[in-house]
């Protein structure tokens, strides 16, 4: 502890001082005025958090002011824009501490602002007059005005510069700047006023903090909430580290909450050393099996299907439901018919068919109607059709859907009977035709006619 030296906070920061990660943010500073006698700079977490990024060159100088009226800065042009008591937005040159241009288009306090990363002359301000204005330092007035509908608390530009996010009231709205400020998405996931916005380094996640003590994380592809953080009190400011490893939140109780992301653990498990098989110990590692050798393999584990497990546990109705699923009854109908046959063998087919609603009865009748004409399924499905008719005969006429399926089944069976009758007629004609063309079979009797007498001699088969 003897080598510990407390960090000394300067009473008044000097203009042009380079910002580092240890720089504090101050309250009560207004451009062009110094603090009065007896006034000191005090740290604040209510005016907004801005984590400094690496300088683009060694000669660049930055100065970040986080007072209530200072809303942002342009690092590449060494300018800072702020909202004053007269509801104006001004650009200041930091090295010379002179005002470059001032805009007085808002009718209420300028609460927030941001700068474009692509164009150093373009910046955006949000005001309590419910509007968001886009300014260009090369012009004398705003180039675009967007009506948010609520007092604007925070604005944010995407890295591409084409999308603008504004937060005010309970709403987070995304605007398309390239289409003249067209509204793309309006998000209402918070219960109280949204106070701050933030983007991650890749631009794939949008973060919003609110007075309802929650930080919502949205996906910028679908604008759906993918994660949420809960805090002790209302949130006023929010920031992310450049590597997205740390999230910092400033709250109304004066606490600056810092959360670090846990390092991702490698999912690859160390591979276990495979033990040699039994034949390796007997024959050796380099042994090559011969043609007359017999290889006995270990039997694999048999994995039962869902319907097999239900049949094994004597759940007849659920087993029938399992084989009536689309991927089974459409592509492997033989499995469905086999389960029906097994239930009939067990004597539980009638109980499995009973107690079904309108849709299930219609599904059963549809399957029977389509497959009953196939010879390999006909014996089993005729039995199933008879049972369905006996069970649900009292409810015929109460459901138009079930009645329609019964009529289709009747038509299908009628067509099959007519087809079978035609086949029987053709078979009879073919039998008669084949009977006329059949040659007489040779017998073991020979007829010998001599002197007008017919003698029949039996063939003597001798061994």
């Amino acid at each position: 502890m003897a080598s510990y030296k407390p960090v000394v906070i300067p009473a008044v920061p000097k203009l042009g001082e380079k910002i580092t990660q240890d720089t504090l943010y101050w309250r009560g500073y207004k451009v062009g005025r110094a603090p009065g006698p007896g006034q000191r700079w005090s740290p604040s977490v209510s005016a907004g958090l801005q984590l400094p990024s690496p300088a683009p060159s060694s000669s660049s100088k930055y100065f970040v002011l986080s007072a209530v009226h200072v809303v942002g800065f342009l690092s590449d042009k060494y300018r800072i824009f702020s909202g004053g008591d007269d509801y104006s937005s001004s650009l200041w040159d930091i090295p010379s501490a002179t005002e470059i241009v001032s805009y007085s288009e808002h009718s209420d306090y300028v609460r927030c602002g941001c700068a474009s990363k692509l164009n150093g002359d373009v910046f955006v301000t949000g005001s309590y007059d419910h509007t968001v204005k886009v300014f260009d330092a090369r012009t004398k007035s705003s180039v675009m005005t967007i009506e948010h509908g609520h007092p604007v608390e925070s604005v944010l530009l995407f890295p591409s510069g084409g999308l603008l996010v504004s937060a005010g009231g309970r709403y987070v709205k995304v605007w398309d700047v390239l289409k003249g400020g067209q509204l793309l998405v309006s998000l209402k996931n918070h219960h109280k006023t949204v106070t701050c916005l933030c983007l991650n380094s890749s631009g794939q996640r949008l973060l919003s903090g609110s007075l309802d003590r929650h930080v919502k994380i949205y996906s910028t592809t679908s604008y759906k909430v993918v994660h949420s953080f809960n805090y002790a009190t209302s949130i006023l400011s929010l920031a992310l580290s450049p590597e997205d490893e740390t999230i910092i939140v400033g709250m109304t109780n004066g606490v600056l909450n810092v959360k670090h992301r846990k390092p991702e653990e490698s999912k690859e498990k160390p591979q276990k050393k495979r033990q040699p098989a039994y034949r390796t110990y007997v024959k050796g590692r380099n042994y090559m099996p011969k043609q007359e050798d017999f290889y006995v393999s270990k039997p694999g584990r048999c994995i039962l299907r869902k319907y097999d497990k239900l049949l094994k546990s004597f759940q007849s109705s659920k087993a029938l439901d399992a084989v009536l699923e689309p991927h089974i009854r459409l592509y492997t109908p033989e499995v469905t018919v086999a389960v029906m046959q097994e239930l009939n063998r067990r004597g539980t087919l009638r109980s499995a068919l009973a107690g079904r609603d309108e849709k299930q009865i219609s599904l059963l009748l549809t399957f029977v109607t389509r497959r009953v004409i196939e010879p390999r399924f006909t014996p089993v499905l005729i039995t199933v059709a008879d049972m369905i008719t006996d069970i649900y005969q009292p409810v015929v006429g109460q459901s138009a859907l079930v009645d329609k399926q019964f009529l289709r089944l009747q038509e299908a069976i009628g067509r099959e009977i007519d087809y079978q009758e035609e086949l029987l007629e053709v078979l009879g004609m073919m039998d008669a035709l084949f009977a006329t063309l059949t040659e007489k079979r040779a017998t073991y009797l020979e007829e010998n006619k001599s002197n007008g007498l017919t003698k029949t001699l039996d063939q003597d088969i001798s061994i």
Side-chain angles (χ1 to χ4, degrees):
M1 297 298 294
S3 60
Y4 172 75
K5 295 181 180 180
V7 179
V8 179
I9 300 177
V12 179
K14 297 180 181 180
L15 196 63
E17 181 181 358
K18 188 174 181 180
I19 297 300
T20 64
Q21 292 185 356
D22 298 329
T23 305
L24 294 181
Y25 298 86
W26 309 94
R27 179 195 303 165
Y29 180 80
K30 294 183 180 180
V31 177
R33 285 203 308 265
Q39 295 183 356
R40 293 179 59 86
W41 307 96
S42 58
S44 169
V45 293
S46 63
L49 292 173
Q50 179 76 32
L51 292 183
S53 57
S57 62
S58 59
S59 60
S60 299
K61 295 182 179 180
Y62 301 85
F63 195 71
V64 184
L65 301 177
S66 183
V68 175
H69 301 292
V70 177
V71 292
F73 66 96
L74 298 174
S75 59
D76 53 348
K77 293 289 185 180
Y78 311 108
R79 299 170 181 173
I80 184 168
F81 54 93
S82 62
D85 294 333
D86 55 352
Y87 313 145
S88 64
S89 301
S90 303
L91 285 180
W92 289 78
D93 184 47
I94 296 178
S96 60
T98 57
E99 184 180 17
I100 299 175
V101 63
S102 179
Y103 301 94
S104 300
E105 297 190 17
H106 286 290
S107 59
D108 206 335
Y109 284 103
V110 179
R111 177 67 178 87
C112 53
C114 64
S116 174
K117 295 184 179 180
L118 298 180
N119 192 339
D121 296 312
V122 176
F123 62 93
V124 183
T125 59
S127 172
Y128 281 165
D129 60 1
H130 301 189
T131 61
V132 176
K133 292 184 179 293
V134 181
F135 294 94
D136 191 332
R138 296 164 292 186
T139 61
K140 296 182 179 180
S141 62
S142 62
V143 296
M144 186 183 300
T145 301
I146 298 174
E147 183 68 30
H148 179 80
H150 296 82
V152 182
E153 299 286 344
S154 180
V155 290
L156 182 66
L157 272 173
F158 274 70
S160 61
L163 297 180
L164 170 66
V165 187
S166 62
R170 296 171 57 190
Y171 295 89
V172 176
K173 297 184 179 182
V174 182
W175 311 86
D176 192 340
V177 180
L178 301 180
K179 291 186 178 180
Q182 179 182 352
L183 178 62
L184 297 180
V185 182
S186 180
L187 306 174
K188 190 179 178 182
N189 299 98
H190 288 282
H191 303 297
K192 293 184 179 180
T193 301
V194 183
T195 57
C196 48
L197 297 171
C198 183
L199 269 177
N200 70 337
S201 59
S202 63
Q204 297 180 355
R205 294 290 184 267
L206 173 65
L207 288 78
S208 64
S210 171
L211 297 179
D212 61 1
R213 304 182 295 107
H214 286 85
V215 172
K216 304 286 185 180
I217 302 178
Y218 306 88
S219 172
T220 54
T221 56
S222 61
Y223 292 103
K224 294 183 179 179
V225 178
V226 296
H227 198 68
S228 178
F229 292 106
N230 187 17
Y231 289 88
T233 58
S234 300
I235 299 170
L236 296 177
S237 53
L238 172 68
L240 276 176
S241 64
E243 295 83 11
D244 301 330
E245 297 294 333
T246 305
I247 178 172
I248 304 176
V249 170
M251 296 176 288
T252 55
N253 59 355
V255 175
L256 195 64
N257 186 288
V258 181
K259 290 185 177 181
H260 298 277
R261 178 187 294 178
K262 293 182 180 180
E264 297 181 358
E265 299 180 355
S266 59
K267 298 182 180 179
E268 298 180 357
K269 296 181 179 180
Q271 296 181 356
K272 296 182 179 179
K273 187 177 181 181
R274 186 177 178 182
Q275 298 294 332
Y278 177 75
R279 62 180 182 272
T280 303
Y281 290 107
V282 177
K283 299 292 184 178
R285 186 186 296 267
N286 299 326
Y287 175 76
M288 296 298 294
K290 299 178 181 179
Q291 186 175 1
E292 61 272 10
D293 290 346
F294 292 95
Y295 175 71
V296 180
S297 61
K298 185 179 180 180
R301 183 180 179 182
C302 181
I303 301 177
L304 296 178
R305 302 283 185 178
K306 181 180 179 181
Y307 52 85
D308 287 331
K309 294 180 180 179
L310 294 172
L311 286 175
K312 192 175 181 181
S313 58
F314 301 100
Q315 301 182 33
S316 304
S317 182
K318 292 184 178 180
L320 184 58
D321 293 338
V323 295
L324 287 176
E325 294 180 358
H327 65 279
I328 296 180
R329 60 181 170 85
L330 295 178
Y331 300 104
T332 55
E334 61 274 5
V335 175
T336 305
V337 177
V339 171
M340 291 180 177
Q341 185 177 8
E342 175 63 19
L343 293 176
N344 187 32
R345 186 189 66 81
R346 295 183 180 185
T348 58
L349 180 59
R350 180 177 293 273
S351 62
L353 294 173
R356 296 184 175 270
D357 56 10
E358 181 182 3
K359 293 184 178 180
Q360 293 175 344
I361 298 172
S362 177
L363 182 61
L364 279 169
L365 290 175
T366 302
F367 177 78
V368 173
T369 303
R370 291 181 179 179
R371 301 296 179 179
V372 72
I373 60 176
E374 298 185 22
R376 54 176 181 165
F377 301 149
T378 301
V380 179
L381 294 183
I382 288 294
T383 304
V384 175
D386 291 340
M387 290 186 180
I388 294 176
T389 305
D390 294 340
I391 296 172
Y392 298 102
Q393 184 178 3
V395 299
V396 173
Q398 299 181 8
S399 173
L401 182 61
V402 175
D403 295 345
K404 186 177 180 180
Q405 295 298 332
F406 271 117
L407 290 176
R408 288 183 178 179
L409 177 61
Q410 183 181 2
E411 293 175 0
I413 294 178
R415 288 195 302 267
E416 184 65 19
I417 292 175
D418 295 340
Y419 180 67
Q420 293 291 339
E421 291 178 353
E422 293 178 1
L423 289 180
L424 289 175
E425 293 177 0
V426 174
L427 183 60
M429 291 186 291
M430 293 180 65
D431 288 341
L433 182 61
F434 289 153
T436 59
L437 299 178
T438 304
E439 297 181 356
K440 294 182 180 180
R441 296 179 180 179
T443 62
Y444 293 103
L445 300 177
E446 296 180 355
E447 295 181 355
N448 185 12
K449 297 181 180 180
S450 62
N451 298 326
L453 297 177
T454 302
K455 297 181 180 180
T456 303
L457 301 176
D458 294 331
Q459 288 184 349
D460 186 12
I461 301 175
S462 58
I463 299 175

